[in-house]
Amino acid sequence: MLDFLKKNGLKYGIYTILVIGIGYFLVSWIGSAFSSSGGEDIIEYTATREKFVNEITEKGEVSSSENKEILCEVQAKYTSNITILKIIPEGTMVKKGDWLCTLDSSKLEDQRDSQEIALNNAEASVVQAESNLETAKIAKKEYLEGTYILNETQYKSKVTVEEEDLRRLKEYKEYSQKLYERGYVTSLQLESDVFAVESARLDLISAQTQLKVYQEYSKAKQVIQLDSDIASAEANLAAKKRALEVDKLKMAEIEDQIKKCNITAPQDGQVVYANESSRHGTNVVIEEGLALRERQAIIRLPNPEKMQVECRINEGKIWMVRVGMQANIFIDSIPDTAIPAEIVKVNDYAEPSNFFTGNIKEYKVRLRIIDPPAGIRSGLTAQCKILVESQDNVLTVPVHCVFEHGGKHYCITHKNGVWDKREVKIGSCNDLQVVILGGLEEGEKVVAGANAYKKNVDLPKLTDALERAKTNSVVSQRATTLPEKPTAPAAQDGERRGPRNMPKMPSWWKPGMRPDEMTDEQKAEMKAIFQKMGPPPGMRRPRKSKDDPSFGVMLPEEGEQKTENQFPDGDFPPPPDGGDFPPPPPDGAAPPPPPSGGGGGPGPGGPPPM
């Protein structure tokens, strides 16, 4: 092979290897097909009596019902994105008060220094304001008990002097008048004395007015001013004291923020990092050096004595689950141990769907672990097996040994080369077993994969089976809702026509054949037949793309003219409701019944899968 590669090149060598691999695959496939079509060994199972257990198995996550979250309590107004300097290893068991984590407090310490200076200035301002208030109070007392009395005395003294001057000048004028009458003084001198008296009288009036103004107006104005100074000083003192209180509170907050940088355990528990992840690809891994935001979770302390598991159950099974059911929890880290649990809550509403779940509806179920074993911790993946039903000493066979036909269930036996069917009555079933209520005895053998061998036995026609099924309460409702048998014209020239007036079927075609059992030539021939048939009456055209103009157009009803090509070349007609659209049966037989909806058996598991 190496010489071949060197001679012909790597390209031809790869082609050769591919051809050899494809040939080996074809030989293996042909051999397996030959053995399956020939006399391979038929696998049989024996109907046995044993304990039947129906369980719902889902995966969940272990958590604690009493989970204390340790948050970053450093406020963003003091510092944002505070960094983890040191943190306790994850999984450590701690007691209340033990150290957990240390955050970077350098920025807070700088703010504390600046706030200490501001606090000292505020205290000095308060002292100054108190001094100003005392000065204002003393100034008022000084004015009322000193300055006012002194000035009032001066004004009164001036009035007294002016009164004395006026009296003296009046006496002198009278004396001058007598002398003038006797001719001792001139008239000019007399006039001078009269003027002096008048001037003294005016001075007295001025002094009296000044005294009155000072007593009635100046005093009141000065008292009001002094009271205003006192009130202003008191308000300023209150403001300075309030500012001092604010600075003290801010200082206390900074001190408290510095203390919160050293985190301790509020209760006993096991350290679990509060890592975060989202469907958008954003992950937060708690580690040293990580910048935290305010109120971000750092550590969770679950109580190991109160553990639970939360899992999600599909809407097709949630109806079987109820509060109080028992379950077993299996954890990989605790091998070979079934941990007992109990369902304590079943959500009434489905969980929100996302891109990955699509339209699948799931309901959250919470299970309480009754006796948590040592070594269990939050975050572990657990397998929950919820016990739905348990029956002792019942007859069971594997689910693939039973198939449904015409509303009844059958098993197939193979004795001495003879194939035979056995109608059975089934009860509950799970993913592996089905309970047989009648039709089989303990120790009887049935063929595995019975659905693949049903062509080897004579089964009743569907029309006859459906008529009999009307008396069966399990399937009577479904049987009476089946569509009526369509009328077909009489076959001509040996044609085999179905309920949809299908043209003559090829000789190789057999009822129940599927596309994967046909060759490419046979598939092409069947596609041509389907093209001529057209879709069932009232069916809409298939939508090939969002730009297909024929989407939503109703096809003509029966009796109307149909086009030769109802569908694009190479396509089968669309199956109803997303299922498979089997070829119609020959000779005017009734169409097959719709697929079972899970009402084939009385048990919670429904009929076995076909």
Side-chain angles (χ1 to χ4, degrees):
M1 180 62 70
L2 183 60
D3 294 339
F4 181 85
L5 292 176
K6 292 180 179 179
K7 182 177 180 181
N8 297 283
L10 180 61
K11 178 179 179 180
Y12 295 101
I14 294 176
Y15 288 163
T16 304
I17 294 174
L18 290 176
V19 170
I20 294 174
I22 292 172
Y24 177 80
F25 173 79
L26 290 175
V27 171
S28 301
W29 179 76
I30 293 173
S32 62
F34 178 80
S35 61
S36 62
S37 62
E40 86 275 16
D41 292 336
I42 299 174
I43 301 176
E44 293 180 320
Y45 286 90
T46 303
T48 58
R49 289 192 173 274
E50 56 185 342
K51 182 177 181 179
F52 171 79
V53 177
N54 188 12
E55 294 178 325
I56 297 177
T57 303
E58 295 290 345
K59 285 189 176 182
E61 184 175 344
V62 179
S63 62
S64 176
S65 58
E66 186 178 310
N67 200 6
K68 181 66 175 179
E69 280 192 343
I70 310 300
L71 306 178
C72 175
E73 298 183 359
V74 178
Q75 300 179 9
K77 66 179 182 179
Y78 293 108
T79 178
S80 59
N81 297 330
I82 189 168
T83 305
I84 298 177
L85 292 182
K86 193 174 181 181
I87 189 169
I88 192 171
E90 188 174 17
T92 305
M93 298 297 297
V94 294
K95 298 291 184 181
K96 182 178 180 180
D98 290 350
W99 170 83
L100 296 178
C101 180
T102 300
L103 307 180
D104 184 10
S105 61
S106 57
K107 294 182 180 180
L108 291 172
E109 291 173 355
D110 293 340
Q111 292 185 24
R112 180 179 60 183
D113 296 338
S114 300
Q115 186 61 28
E116 187 175 358
I117 296 173
L119 182 60
N120 293 334
N121 292 334
E123 291 176 349
S125 299
V126 169
V127 173
Q128 184 64 38
E130 291 175 347
S131 177
N132 293 339
L133 177 60
E134 291 297 326
T135 301
K137 290 180 178 179
I138 292 173
K140 180 180 179 180
K141 186 175 182 181
E142 177 189 14
Y143 173 75
L144 293 176
E145 297 180 3
T147 303
Y148 172 73
I149 295 175
L150 179 61
N151 292 337
E152 184 184 30
T153 302
Q154 290 177 354
Y155 283 118
K156 289 180 178 181
S157 176
K158 186 177 180 180
V159 170
T160 302
V161 171
E162 294 298 335
E163 288 177 347
E164 180 62 25
D165 288 344
L166 179 60
R167 185 192 61 80
R168 182 177 55 79
L169 288 175
K170 283 182 177 181
E171 290 179 353
Y172 191 76
K173 186 192 77 166
E174 292 175 356
Y175 180 72
S176 295
Q177 181 68 31
K178 292 178 180 179
L179 290 178
Y180 173 75
E181 292 176 354
R182 293 181 181 182
Y184 292 105
V185 293
T186 63
S187 60
L188 181 63
Q189 186 176 1
L190 179 60
E191 291 177 358
S192 176
D193 292 339
V194 172
F195 178 79
V197 171
E198 185 65 21
S199 177
R201 187 180 64 82
L202 294 176
D203 290 340
L204 175 60
I205 293 173
S206 175
Q208 290 175 346
T209 302
Q210 289 178 358
L211 176 61
K212 181 180 179 180
V213 169
Y214 184 72
Q215 289 177 337
E216 296 181 4
Y217 303 107
S218 297
K219 177 184 178 182
K221 181 178 69 174
Q222 189 65 25
V223 170
I224 291 174
Q225 181 63 42
L226 292 173
D227 289 340
S228 175
D229 293 341
I230 293 174
S232 176
E234 289 176 345
N236 185 51
L237 176 61
K240 297 299 182 181
K241 286 184 176 180
R242 179 56 182 166
L244 178 61
E245 292 177 0
V246 171
D247 287 334
K248 286 182 178 180
L249 290 175
K250 188 174 182 180
M251 187 69 175
E253 286 182 359
I254 294 176
E255 293 285 356
D256 183 62
Q257 294 292 301
I258 293 176
K259 290 181 180 179
K260 289 179 178 179
C261 291
N262 187 36
I263 302 174
T264 58
Q267 66 179 30
D268 298 351
Q270 187 178 32
V271 174
V272 178
Y273 289 170
N275 299 324
E276 298 178 1
S277 61
S278 69
R279 60 189 180 95
H280 301 290
T282 304
N283 297 323
V284 177
V285 179
I286 301 299
E287 59 185 354
E288 294 179 357
L290 177 66
L292 302 173
R293 64 181 184 275
E294 182 180 355
R295 307 299 298 173
Q296 179 177 348
I298 307 174
I299 292 173
R300 296 186 178 94
L301 288 179
N303 188 347
E305 302 298 327
K306 298 180 180 180
M307 304 301 289
Q308 65 181 10
V309 176
E310 290 186 346
C311 63
R312 296 186 178 189
I313 297 180
N314 187 275
E315 60 181 340
K317 299 180 180 179
I318 192 63
W319 65 272
M320 295 187 289
V321 180
R322 61 183 181 273
V323 175
M325 279 187 171
Q326 303 300 313
N328 287 324
I329 307 298
F330 297 89
I331 301 175
D332 292 340
S333 61
I334 310 177
D336 302 329
T337 301
I339 306 172
E342 179 185 6
I343 296 179
V344 294
K345 184 179 180 181
V346 179
N347 284 4
D348 295 329
Y349 300 96
E351 294 298 302
S353 58
N354 53 38
F355 175 79
F356 300 100
T357 59
N359 294 327
I360 299 176
K361 298 295 187 295
E362 294 180 328
Y363 294 78
K364 184 175 289 187
V365 175
R366 183 180 302 167
L367 300 93
R368 179 180 64 88
I369 298 179
I370 297 176
D371 187 13
I376 193 171
R377 62 185 64 184
S378 295
L380 293 175
T381 301
Q383 188 180 44
C384 308
K385 290 188 176 182
I386 302 173
L387 181 61
V388 176
E389 181 185 5
S390 178
Q391 300 182 36
D392 293 328
N393 194 26
V394 292
L395 190 65
T396 63
V397 296
V399 292
H400 54 79
C401 295
V402 181
F403 69 95
E404 182 183 9
H405 181 80
K408 294 185 178 294
H409 298 88
Y410 298 89
C411 292
I412 293 179
T413 62
H414 185 259
K415 295 180 180 179
N416 301 322
V418 177
W419 297 90
D420 190 15
K421 66 180 183 297
R422 184 72 62 84
E423 182 179 343
V424 294
K425 182 179 180 182
I426 66 171
S428 303
C429 74
N430 54 25
D431 294 337
L432 301 177
Q433 297 172 304
V434 58
V435 176
I436 303 298
L437 302 179
L440 281 180
E441 298 294 335
E442 182 180 2
E444 288 191 87
K445 293 185 177 182
V446 293
V447 176
N451 193 53
Y453 297 99
K454 63 182 181 181
K455 60 184 177 181
N456 296 334
V457 297
D458 293 331
L459 295 171
K461 292 183 179 181
L462 290 178
T463 53
D464 298 335
L466 292 177
E467 289 294 329
R468 293 194 304 270
K470 291 182 180 179
T471 59
N472 190 334
S473 60
V474 177
V475 297
S476 60
Q477 182 179 2
R478 183 180 60 187
T480 56
T481 58
L482 291 177
E484 296 182 358
K485 175 182 176 182
T487 59
Q492 299 179 3
D493 300 330
E495 291 183 352
R496 299 161 62 188
R497 294 184 177 271
R500 290 165 53 198
N501 298 329
M502 187 169 65
K504 182 179 179 180
M505 297 298 293
S507 59
W508 52 264
W509 181 81
K510 296 180 181 179
M513 287 190 67
R514 304 188 59 79
D516 54 356
E517 300 175 343
M518 306 176 189
T519 64
D520 293 339
E521 291 78 11
Q522 292 173 344
K523 289 181 181 179
E525 188 176 357
M526 290 300 296
K527 288 178 181 179
I529 293 174
F530 276 114
Q531 293 286 350
K532 295 179 181 180
M533 288 169 52
M539 176 174 284
R540 296 182 182 270
R541 296 181 185 274
R543 184 175 183 176
K544 303 304 292 182
S545 68
K546 64 179 182 179
D547 300 324
D548 183 9
S550 65
F551 172 64
V553 178
M554 296 299 294
L555 294 174
E557 299 291 341
E558 285 189 354
E560 299 182 8
Q561 184 178 359
K562 298 182 174 61
T563 58
E564 191 66 19
N565 186 8
Q566 299 284 359
F567 299 97
D569 292 337
D571 287 344
F572 283 93
D577 299 330
D580 293 329
F581 199 95
D587 302 328
S596 174
M610 295 297 102

